[in-house]
Amino acid sequence: MTSSPSPVHVVGGGLAGSEAAWQIANAGVPVVLHEMRGVPGVKTDAHHTDGLAELVCSNSFRSDDWEYNAVGLLHAEMRALDSIIMACGDAHQVPAGGALAVDREGFSQAVTARLEAHPLVTIVREEIAGLPPEDWDNVIVATGPLTSPALADAILKATGEESLSFFDAIAPIVHADSIDFDIAWRQSRYDKAGPGGDAAAYVNCPMNREQYDAFIDALLAGPKAEFKEWEDVPYFDGCLPIEVMAERGRETLRHGPMKPVGLTNPRDPTVKAHAIVQLRQDNALGTLFNMVGFQTKLKYGAQTEIFRMIPGLQNAQFARLGGLHRNTFLNSPKLLDRQLRLKALPRLRFAGQVTGVEGYVESAAMGLLTGRLAAAQALGRDLAPPPPETAIGALVEHITGGHLEGSKFQPMNINYGLLPPLEAPRVDAEGRKIPPKDRGRAKKRLMSVRALEALRQWRNAAA
C-alpha cells in the first residue's frame, strides 16, 4: 500500500498562503495552514478581521486586460492554473472599469469557506513564534507584509541580514451616500468597461487650478504620523503616501492618481478639469468607495479636514481613514534559490510579498507557485518554475536574481519589462503595416500570447 505524503505546513493565511494551501490540497497532498489572526491578543497593524485572504490596502486586483496589461496577463495565467484567489475574485467582483475589484468581505468569506471545506486542508489558529519546528520538513512561509516580529527576527538570524522592512500605507474609504453627486459624476477613464461590463465604475471629483493648489498646500502642511524607530526604513514607490508624492513636486499628483485625462464632466464638457480625484467601489452593495491612490500617513484629524477640501467630498463621512504600516520583504536574490527556498534552510520556502513581489495578484501568484513546488516535493516529483516568458516565471526571475547586480533590491509589480523582450511587429496578422504609434501595443499582445502558450506547455508537461 502506498503511504500518503507528509503534510506541507503553510504559515500565514493571507492571499499567498491561502493560494498555496489550495494548490497543495488539489494536488492530493495534505496541508496545515497556520494563521495567527483569530488567536486572542494577536493582531496586525492593518487587518480588521480573522478571515483568510483579507484585503487591507485596496480592493482592486488592477487591470483585467490580458492582451495589453501585464497584471491582466497574470490574472489569465492564474485562472489557467485553477487559482482560488482568481475564482473567488471573479465571483465577488464589483464595478471598477477595466480593473477587477472585489467585495472585500464576500471575497475573504468565500476563500475561507472553500479552504475550510477541503478535506485535505487543516486550518490551525496559532502564531508561529520563531522558525517553524525542525520536524516540519516542507514549509511555506507566506506571512506577507506583516510578518510577526518573532518570526522576522528568527529569519534575520538565520540569514545574517540586517533588515527586512519598508513602509506601506493604506487609503481612506468613504460612505457613498456622503458624496455630493451634484459635483461628482460616475465614469471610468476613457469609458472603458471592466470585467463586469460597467463603463461608469468610478466616482470623479474635479478640481480647478485654484482648488488643486490649495489642496497641495494643505497636504504639504498637514501633520503626519511619525515613527522614529522606523526612520531608516524606505518607502515602496508603488504605494507612496499621497503627501510624499506631493513633496516630489506640485505637479506630481496631476500626472499620477489625480490625472484628469480620459474623463469628461457631463455638466460642462467644454471645461477641462485641472485635476480629478477618483473613488472606486469597495463593496458589492456599492455603499463604500475607496479613494484611489490616496494612501496616507496624515494624522486622522488632518485627513478629515484636508480630504473634505475635495469638491464633492465636502461632506464626506469616512468608513476608514488612511494609515501607515511596516511591510517586510527578503533580499530574495541573495537568500532564495530558484525553488523559492531559503538557501540557509532549504526546508523553508517563501511566498507572497515577503519575497519582494508587490501587489495582491503578484503575492497570490507566488503562493500558487510555491504551493505547486511544495506539493511536487511531497510527491517525490521534480518541478521547475514556469519559463521566464510567462508572467509568473518573470516574477520568479526577478526575485531570484533578475534585478540589476549591485543595486538595492526593491519590491516589484509585474510589468512587461520583466519578460524577455520581443521585437515590436511591423505588420499585423493580415499583413497590413502597423503604424509606429501602435507597435508598442501590438508588442504587448504578442508577449501575452507567447506567455499563455508557454504556460500551457509548462502546465501540460507538469501534469
Side-chain angles (χ1 to χ4, degrees):
M1 184 175 69
T2 304
S3 60
S4 60
S6 299
V8 178
H9 292 267
V10 177
V11 182
L15 274 76
S18 297
E19 185 67 69
W22 179 257
Q23 296 291 329
I24 294 164
N26 278 357
V29 176
V31 58
V32 182
L33 179 59
H34 306 264
E35 171 52 52
M36 69 179 184
R37 287 178 299 115
V39 177
V42 177
K43 62 179 183 178
T44 74
D45 294 329
H47 291 93
H48 295 280
T49 76
D50 60 4
L52 302 177
E54 181 185 347
L55 306 178
V56 299
C57 182
S58 168
N59 71 326
S60 177
F61 289 177
R62 309 187 331 269
S63 175
D64 201 47
D65 181 354
W66 73 266
E67 293 179 290
Y68 303 108
N69 190 286
V71 75
L73 170 61
L74 191 55
H75 290 179
E77 291 185 7
M78 293 173 66
R79 288 185 179 112
L81 297 174
D82 189 30
S83 164
I84 186 176
I85 295 302
M86 292 309 303
C88 292
D90 289 338
H92 292 273
Q93 65 179 270
V94 296
L100 172 61
V102 305
D103 179 290
R104 294 171 191 263
E105 292 186 6
F107 169 77
S108 175
Q109 289 168 1
V111 174
T112 303
R114 291 184 71 173
L115 286 169
E116 287 178 339
H118 201 295
L120 291 178
V121 177
T122 301
I123 300 172
V124 180
R125 298 286 180 169
E126 64 177 354
E127 179 181 4
I128 304 302
L131 292 177
E134 291 187 8
D135 59 343
W136 296 3
D137 61 357
N138 195 349
V139 181
I140 295 174
V141 179
T143 47
L146 298 166
T147 299
S148 70
L151 180 54
D153 288 344
I155 294 168
L156 284 174
K157 290 177 182 177
T159 60
E161 293 290 288
E162 296 179 358
S163 176
L164 302 176
S165 301
F166 67 99
F167 278 135
D168 202 355
I170 55 179
I173 294 176
V174 177
H175 288 283
D177 59 8
S178 70
I179 300 171
D180 185 351
F181 282 97
D182 288 335
I183 298 173
W185 75 93
R186 292 178 181 267
Q187 182 190 10
S188 296
R189 204 175 300 278
Y190 300 111
D191 298 308
K192 186 175 181 179
D198 192 336
Y202 290 78
V203 171
N204 301 281
C205 300
M207 284 185 174
N208 60 32
R209 177 182 287 276
E210 182 180 355
Q211 291 165 333
Y212 177 80
D213 285 340
F215 179 72
I216 296 298
D217 289 339
L219 273 183
L220 295 174
K224 285 87 175 174
E226 300 294 340
F227 297 86
K228 300 294 185 183
E229 67 272 26
W230 297 352
E231 285 179 341
D232 61 345
V233 179
Y235 289 108
F236 169 57
D237 277 350
C239 201
L240 285 175
I242 191 167
E243 61 278 0
V244 173
M245 285 189 272
E247 290 169 358
R248 296 185 173 185
R250 296 186 68 85
E251 295 295 294
T252 301
L253 293 175
R254 289 190 61 241
H255 297 281
M258 295 175 66
K259 60 180 178 284
V261 299
L263 299 165
T264 302
N265 190 336
R267 296 180 186 85
D268 196 346
T270 63
V271 176
K272 180 82 171 176
H274 188 69
I276 291 177
V277 174
Q278 287 200 303
L279 295 91
R280 178 180 55 236
Q281 187 171 326
D282 197 73
N283 65 345
L285 295 174
T287 57
L288 299 175
F289 277 75
N290 188 296
M291 297 180 70
V292 178
F294 268 59
Q295 52 274 359
T296 181
K297 65 170 182 173
L298 286 167
K299 291 185 176 180
Y300 283 174
Q303 288 184 48
T304 301
E305 181 179 345
I306 293 170
F307 294 153
R308 284 178 180 162
M309 294 174 65
I310 299 169
L313 300 186
Q314 64 272 14
N315 299 312
Q317 298 296 316
F318 296 92
R320 184 191 73 188
L321 290 166
L324 186 72
H325 57 270
R326 185 172 61 173
N327 276 357
T328 302
F329 69 95
L330 297 166
N331 184 4
S332 294
K334 176 181 176 183
L335 301 178
L336 300 183
D337 67 13
R338 289 272 300 164
Q339 287 274 318
L340 299 177
R341 295 175 300 203
L342 196 64
K343 294 175 184 177
L345 289 171
R347 67 188 181 90
L348 303 183
R349 275 187 177 84
F350 284 80
Q353 285 185 232
V354 74
T355 65
V357 297
E358 176 60 24
Y360 288 143
V361 183
E362 292 89 338
S363 178
M366 293 301 95
L368 185 155
L369 179 59
T370 55
R372 288 185 167 234
L373 294 173
Q377 178 182 321
L379 295 168
R381 300 171 183 166
D382 292 326
L383 179 64
E389 288 79 11
T390 66
I392 294 174
L395 284 171
V396 174
E397 190 71 19
H398 169 71
I399 64 179
T400 60
H403 79 304
L404 186 64
E405 191 68 31
S407 64
K408 185 174 181 180
F409 179 64
Q410 282 288 307
M412 180 69 73
N413 293 114
I414 185 61
N415 62 83
Y416 284 109
L418 296 182
L419 278 67
L422 281 176
E423 185 175 347
R426 295 178 176 271
V427 295
D428 62 20
E430 284 74 39
R432 295 171 298 196
K433 286 186 177 181
I434 300 174
K437 66 181 179 64
D438 295 332
R439 288 174 189 167
R441 182 172 169 83
K443 177 181 174 180
K444 289 179 179 179
R445 190 181 189 283
L446 200 62
M447 294 175 78
S448 292
V449 170
R450 178 186 67 175
L452 292 179
E453 174 58 22
L455 185 85
R456 184 189 68 80
Q457 293 182 18
W458 177 82
R459 181 193 62 199
N460 292 347

